[in-house]
Amino acid sequence: MLGVTVNRSDERRSLEMKEVEIPRPAAGELLIQVHAAAVNRTDIVNRQGKAGYMTHPILGVEVAGTVAEASGDTGFKAGDRVMGLVNGGGYAEYAVMPADRAMKIPESFTFAEAAAIPEVFLTAYQTLFWIGKLRENESVLIHAGASGVGTAAIQLAKKLRNAKVIVTAGSRQKLDFCQKLGADVLINYKEQNFDEEVLKATEGQGADVILDFVGADYWTRNLNSIKKGGRWVLIGILGGSTVEKVDLFPLMSKMIEVTGTLLTPRDDDYKARLTRDFYQAVLPYFEKREILPVVDTSFPLEKAEEAHEHMLGNRNIGKIILDVKTR
Amino acid sequence: MLGVTVNRSDERRSLEMKEVEIPRPAAGELLIQVHAAAVNRTDIVNRQGKAGYMTHPILGVEVAGTVAEASGDTGFKAGDRVMGLVNGGGYAEYAVMPADRAMKIPESFTFAEAAAIPEVFLTAYQTLFWIGKLRENESVLIHAGASGVGTAAIQLAKKLRNAKVIVTAGSRQKLDFCQKLGADVLINYKEQNFDEEVLKATEGQGADVILDFVGADYWTRNLNSIKKGGRWVLIGILGGSTVEKVDLFPLMSKMIEVTGTLLTPRDDDYKARLTRDFYQAVLPYFEKREILPVVDTSFPLEKAEEAHEHMLGNRNIGKIILDVKTR
């Protein structure tokens, strides 16, 4: 089969399409014929060799496709349309997936839509509810509202908790899109001080939960934007990793919980439990198409390099998909 | 009655004993004749005018005494021996306390022992279990093991969760005392690198929970000492408030939860719930004297100034008590 690997001897670490062996599913795993894989920032980090936890030679952590083989008692059969997280190996014609984190694809969804679901929706679900403990009618500040996780989080926060959803993004077009997904308060971070706007929108209280993809650049303003007793979930460092000066006292006096998290390095059992909890809660909304994945662009698998460039250009709204043609 | 107030026009902010009116309990409150009050760092912060949340003119956040008057349906009657947190006003002959956070004093306990319980045991209970979510057989790093909260936390972690208890302190004498209370691993922070010792004691994994009273000075070493998925509870900044150059990436890759907390500024309902949960869990151990408060020294109320100096000298093991004589 064909799969996309990284040329690690090349300084650019260019992507290469290679002929490799079809993987074999162990007991409890599915072999999936991949119809679509999605691009994630973790793939780019992995490509650059910066994340020690990814060891699979083929990139890609999520796919949608059909079951080619179900090994052991999995609850799935050949031909089932499934989507879910894989432990690497997604940018390929076939991939293996532990069956306990495979989700049946809702009937009305294309493979491209389905591939756009697992990573961002599971991350949004994990950070909003498991870690952020967002409760009914609370407020949440979602940075990068038009990103993959952002678009998923807006919908989940709104539909599942009726939250006041405050988003930041860098253009009118992105903010309009967030509004269509249900965002209540739109902040253009290039033109406004987001902390002032959050305080205005919350009667001076601040947001109960913050989903922070930005890190260092936003540290102080996030601290200003969070409510007493708030939960601040750190899931990205697009704005740098190093904060020059951190004052610990406000963390104490505001009684704030800051949690760093990543989804990819979590263990299999965690991913299985998260998938089950998410699928049960969100499937009814998927079936009524009241919550939808957002696909920005699809590239053919052999154009993975261009797909990465598109992500780095930061112009996408929603997910970037790799279409895998059946040979 | 007599109460200890702060002379705010004096640069030293000296303590003054003054004749003031006996407070009146509102419905649901107890008027307590105070027999013992305890000294806390929060009193010193308040005295210095640094904590905006303390507005009571009389210092002191915890007392033990007898009920002089129970207003409304409180479940207590005059003469009952009680201990608990007060919203200021503890350094005095009488104080009022919401009845839903009053605890009956176990029979074998003196008033001095009882006054040594509420603040440190509730803080230790809150941080270990409510915030730190310490589970059976996990490991916990307790800094300042010989402090009030430290001595309470060692006993609670050991008796209630059979935890591996790792403590730091600055003298052999303090470490020996911690060992008597149940600590398993003793680290002299003046002679050893505590992070290296924690890793040695946990097979390179790090501690599941850290109780951090130190803040800035220990930031990097705490980060080294914590396990993946660990909970780091920030409850003091004795080692400074400002950390230079904080790298956020390890918080994400180690998936760490950092929670800042204080007990005094929490609302009445929180304190009532915490008190109930604590009392139910720990009373059986108090009654068998298997868990005990640790009293360092008692000063008469009129020597509150000396009691504060004793605390600032950092030589105490356990709590510093103010004895209140009945006139």
Side-chain angles (χ1 to χ4, degrees):
Chain A
M1 69 164 193
L2 291 171
V4 175
T5 62
V6 179
N7 182 344
R8 296 194 188 271
S9 61
D10 170 14
E11 205 182 330
R12 281 195 60 255
R13 293 180 165 266
S14 50
L15 299 181
E16 289 182 348
M17 192 86 139
K18 265 197 186 160
E19 187 71 38
V20 294
E21 297 243 324
I22 292 177
R24 302 174 65 141
E29 290 185 338
L30 307 176
L31 177 68
I32 294 168
Q33 183 177 10
V34 179
H35 291 277
V39 177
N40 287 283
R41 288 206 176 256
T42 193
D43 303 335
I44 294 174
V45 172
N46 181 24
R47 174 183 176 175
Q48 295 163 340
K50 288 183 185 162
Y53 49 83
M54 288 296 292
T55 53
H56 200 295
I58 296 175
L59 294 179
V61 297
E62 62 183 334
V63 300
T66 52
V67 174
E69 187 188 335
S71 174
D73 183 18
T74 63
F76 292 92
K77 60 179 193 308
D80 281 349
R81 299 168 79 232
V82 294
M83 59 187 179
L85 299 175
V86 293
N87 293 332
Y91 291 14
E93 292 181 301
Y94 290 87
V96 291
M97 182 189 293
D100 58 8
R101 67 167 90 145
M103 297 177 273
K104 289 209 170 136
I105 298 175
E107 232 174 89
S108 75
F109 282 39
T110 64
F111 285 115
E113 285 178 316
I117 289 173
E119 181 72 16
V120 296
F121 272 89
L122 288 169
T123 297
Y125 191 88
Q126 172 208 25
T127 51
L128 285 173
F129 307 130
W130 279 26
I131 298 174
K133 298 176 283 283
L134 183 71
R135 290 180 285 257
E136 200 73 19
N137 301 316
E138 284 192 333
S139 56
V140 58
L141 171 61
I142 301 173
H143 289 300
S147 68
V149 178
T151 55
I154 292 167
Q155 298 179 78
L156 293 175
K158 201 72 214 171
K159 298 281 182 182
L160 274 65
R161 294 291 187 278
N162 191 35
K164 172 176 278 195
V165 177
I166 306 166
V167 298
T168 67
S171 75
R172 187 73 250 161
Q173 186 205 5
K174 286 183 174 181
L175 289 169
D176 287 345
F177 193 83
C178 294
Q179 189 171 31
K180 275 186 206 142
L181 294 176
D184 301 293
V185 181
L186 312 170
I187 303 171
N188 186 328
Y189 67 80
K190 293 181 177 165
E191 297 171 359
Q192 297 169 288
N193 290 321
F194 77 78
D195 48 354
E196 291 170 14
E197 300 303 319
V198 172
L199 291 175
K200 269 187 221 163
T202 55
E203 293 164 343
Q205 298 289 298
D208 294 287
V209 174
I210 297 181
L211 296 197
D212 177 10
F213 307 84
V214 177
D217 285 357
Y218 278 9
W219 183 268
T220 305
R221 280 173 286 169
N222 277 330
L223 198 54
N224 296 340
S225 302
I226 198 163
K227 193 173 176 174
K228 271 197 179 182
R231 288 84 67 197
W232 174 351
V233 186
L234 182 65
I235 43 175
I237 46 173
L238 295 176
S241 173
T242 305
V243 191
E244 287 302 317
K245 276 188 200 299
V246 168
D247 185 1
L248 300 176
F249 187 70
L251 294 181
M252 289 170 58
S253 60
K254 290 181 88 170
M255 301 174 279
I256 292 167
E257 184 181 303
V258 181
T259 306
T261 186
L262 292 172
L263 183 53
T264 306
R266 298 274 179 182
D267 64 30
D268 286 353
D269 177 58
Y270 185 98
K271 286 175 183 165
R273 285 185 293 117
L274 178 63
T275 301
R276 261 195 313 275
D277 191 30
F278 160 77
Y279 194 62
Q280 195 168 20
V282 181
L283 183 62
Y285 297 91
F286 280 154
E287 286 177 337
K288 287 180 279 181
R289 294 188 74 83
E290 286 179 7
I291 290 182
L292 286 172
V294 178
V295 175
D296 177 82
T297 328
S298 291
F299 291 85
L301 181 61
E302 58 270 25
K303 300 255 166 104
E305 185 79 55
E306 285 174 41
H308 278 202
E309 280 161 25
H310 189 64
M311 174 165 272
L312 290 169
N314 210 20
R315 286 177 306 272
N316 58 305
I317 293 181
K319 294 286 286 186
I320 299 164
I321 301 298
L322 298 172
D323 275 323
V324 185
K325 294 279 174 299
T326 315
R327 285 196 288 181
Chain B
M1 68 163 193
L2 290 171
V4 176
T5 62
V6 179
N7 182 344
R8 298 195 186 271
S9 61
D10 170 12
E11 205 181 330
R12 282 195 60 257
R13 293 179 165 268
S14 51
L15 299 181
E16 289 181 348
M17 193 85 140
K18 267 197 183 158
E19 188 69 40
V20 295
E21 296 245 325
I22 292 178
R24 302 174 65 140
E29 289 184 337
L30 307 175
L31 178 68
I32 294 169
Q33 183 177 12
V34 178
H35 292 276
V39 176
N40 287 284
R41 289 209 176 256
T42 194
D43 303 335
I44 294 174
V45 172
N46 181 24
R47 174 183 176 176
Q48 295 163 340
K50 288 182 184 163
Y53 50 83
M54 288 296 292
T55 52
H56 201 294
I58 295 175
L59 293 178
V61 296
E62 62 183 335
V63 300
T66 51
V67 174
E69 187 188 337
S71 172
D73 182 19
T74 63
F76 292 92
K77 59 179 195 310
D80 281 348
R81 299 169 79 233
V82 294
M83 58 186 179
L85 300 175
V86 293
N87 294 332
Y91 292 14
E93 291 181 301
Y94 290 87
V96 292
M97 182 189 295
D100 57 9
R101 67 167 90 144
M103 297 176 274
K104 288 209 170 134
I105 298 175
E107 230 174 272
S108 75
F109 283 39
T110 66
F111 286 114
E113 284 178 317
I117 290 174
E119 181 73 14
V120 296
F121 272 89
L122 288 168
T123 297
Y125 192 88
Q126 172 208 25
T127 51
L128 286 173
F129 307 130
W130 280 25
I131 298 174
K133 297 177 283 284
L134 184 70
R135 289 181 285 258
E136 200 72 19
N137 301 315
E138 284 192 334
S139 55
V140 57
L141 171 60
I142 301 172
H143 289 300
S147 67
V149 178
T151 55
I154 292 167
Q155 298 179 79
L156 293 175
K158 202 72 214 170
K159 298 282 182 183
L160 274 66
R161 294 291 187 277
N162 190 37
K164 172 175 277 193
V165 177
I166 307 166
V167 298
T168 67
S171 74
R172 188 71 251 161
Q173 186 205 5
K174 286 184 175 181
L175 289 170
D176 287 345
F177 192 82
C178 293
Q179 189 170 33
K180 275 184 207 144
L181 295 176
D184 301 291
V185 180
L186 312 170
I187 303 172
N188 186 327
Y189 67 80
K190 292 181 178 165
E191 297 170 359
Q192 296 168 289
N193 291 320
F194 76 79
D195 49 354
E196 291 169 16
E197 300 302 320
V198 172
L199 291 176
K200 270 186 221 165
T202 55
E203 294 164 339
Q205 298 288 299
D208 293 288
V209 174
I210 297 180
L211 297 197
D212 178 10
F213 307 83
V214 178
D217 285 357
Y218 277 9
W219 183 268
T220 305
R221 280 173 287 168
N222 277 330
L223 197 53
N224 296 340
S225 301
I226 198 164
K227 193 173 177 175
K228 272 196 179 182
R231 288 83 69 198
W232 175 349
V233 186
L234 182 65
I235 44 175
I237 45 172
L238 295 175
S241 173
T242 305
V243 196
E244 306 283 338
K245 296 203 187 299
V246 168
D247 185 2
L248 300 176
F249 187 71
L251 294 181
M252 289 170 60
S253 59
K254 289 182 88 169
M255 301 176 279
I256 293 166
E257 183 181 305
V258 181
T259 307
T261 185
L262 292 171
L263 183 53
T264 306
R266 298 274 179 182
D267 65 29
D268 285 353
D269 177 59
Y270 185 97
K271 287 175 182 165
R273 285 185 292 117
L274 177 63
T275 301
R276 260 198 310 277
D277 190 30
F278 160 77
Y279 194 62
Q280 193 168 21
V282 181
L283 183 62
Y285 296 90
F286 280 155
E287 286 178 337
K288 287 180 280 181
R289 293 189 74 83
E290 288 179 6
I291 291 182
L292 286 172
V294 178
V295 174
D296 178 83
T297 329
S298 291
F299 293 84
L301 181 62
E302 57 272 24
K303 300 257 166 103
E305 186 78 57
E306 285 175 40
H308 278 201
E309 280 162 24
H310 189 65
M311 174 165 271
L312 289 170
N314 208 23
R315 285 178 306 273
N316 57 305
I317 292 181
K319 294 287 288 185
I320 300 164
I321 302 297
L322 299 172
D323 275 324
V324 185
K325 294 277 173 300
T326 314
R327 287 195 288 182

